[in-house]
Amino acid sequence: MRRRLEIVSLHLVGALVVGCALAPAPTAAQSHAKGWNPMEFKKPSDADLRRSLTPEQYQITQHEGTERPFHNEYWDNHRPGIYVDVVSGEPLFSSLDKFESGTGWPSFTRPLDPENVHQKTDRSLGMARTEVRSVHANSHLGHVFDDGPAPTGLRYCMNSAALRFIPVERLADEGSAQYLPLFQGLMAKDSTHK
């Protein structure tokens, strides 16, 4: 009887190990409700990114692509909220810093969390430009130029496909309630107009 229990136990342990190995890894889409935690983020493999991103998102974030101006999701988005990295969910930009640049891409005067973006020189088109990438996912986001409005004089010209928008009413549900105070004046003004 004891030998039979040992064999059954071995089969159960083996099935558990195989089941865990075959279980799909959590994708960025599955972790939205938790919010951003840099200590828990591990960049997905290239194969996982190909599965979880659209072809355009993959090309832009992983191979420094550029989407068409005026034909992208957020160039004309005027809703209040924040923009996060489509791969990692790290907070990048706020609608409060978004402005109409006339370029056909979403443009911002500054990052929401400067520690989540880094810049590097891009010489890919035979000229020096400043590329903007997310720190944790290393996603290509776009470029920054020095022709923006006050107060910074900068124009962070981003690709919509590199971003995911979280509207202000969903911030708490998606684990980003710490950004709600930024929008308090806007929400109070909006409630008086109803």
Side-chain angles (χ1 to χ4, degrees):
M1 180 72 168
R2 183 176 181 171
R3 177 79 176 134
R4 179 175 282 167
L5 284 174
E6 288 173 353
I7 291 171
V8 169
S9 294
L10 284 174
H11 284 297
L12 289 174
V13 169
L16 182 61
V17 168
V18 169
C20 289
L22 296 176
T27 63
Q30 293 171 329
S31 63
H32 292 326
K34 293 191 319 190
W36 166 246
N37 183 342
M39 302 306 286
E40 292 180 6
F41 177 72
K42 180 178 182 289
K43 185 170 179 177
S45 69
D46 189 68
D48 286 338
L49 288 172
R50 284 182 185 273
R51 279 192 295 274
S52 64
L53 300 175
T54 68
E56 183 178 42
Q57 289 171 329
Y58 177 81
Q59 178 61 30
I60 287 169
T61 60
Q62 306 306 301
H63 295 287
E64 295 78 37
T66 301
E67 65 198 358
R68 291 176 45 208
F70 303 103
H71 296 279
N72 57 76
E73 190 170 3
Y74 302 128
W75 78 272
D76 199 27
N77 182 29
H78 300 286
R79 294 176 65 199
I82 68 170
Y83 296 82
V84 301
D85 183 295
V86 72
V87 173
S88 65
E90 59 198 285
L92 300 170
F93 298 98
S94 165
S95 63
L96 298 171
D97 299 312
K98 191 172 186 282
F99 69 98
E100 293 298 324
S101 65
T103 62
W105 289 286
S107 298
F108 306 87
T109 57
R110 68 177 136 233
L112 175 61
D113 283 330
E115 64 273 6
N116 289 339
V117 300
H118 75 280
Q119 301 173 11
K120 68 180 229 176
T121 301
D122 172 9
R123 299 185 191 283
S124 64
L125 296 179
M127 64 179 134
R129 297 182 298 166
T130 304
E131 178 188 10
V132 179
R133 300 186 76 89
S134 63
V135 168
H136 301 278
N138 196 31
S139 297
H140 169 76
L141 304 172
H143 293 85
V144 63
F145 303 95
D146 61 4
D147 60 359
T152 65
L154 298 175
R155 173 172 55 96
Y156 284 82
C157 188
M158 303 293 102
N159 288 288
S160 291
L163 307 172
R164 185 175 70 84
F165 178 69
I166 304 174
V168 70
E169 65 271 13
R170 299 248 345 120
L171 288 175
D173 293 339
E174 296 214 17
S176 296
Q178 70 269 31
Y179 297 108
L180 281 170
L182 297 174
F183 299 95
Q184 279 183 337
L186 187 63
M187 292 185 311
K189 187 189 314 178
D190 193 42
S191 66
T192 62
H193 291 274
K194 290 184 180 180

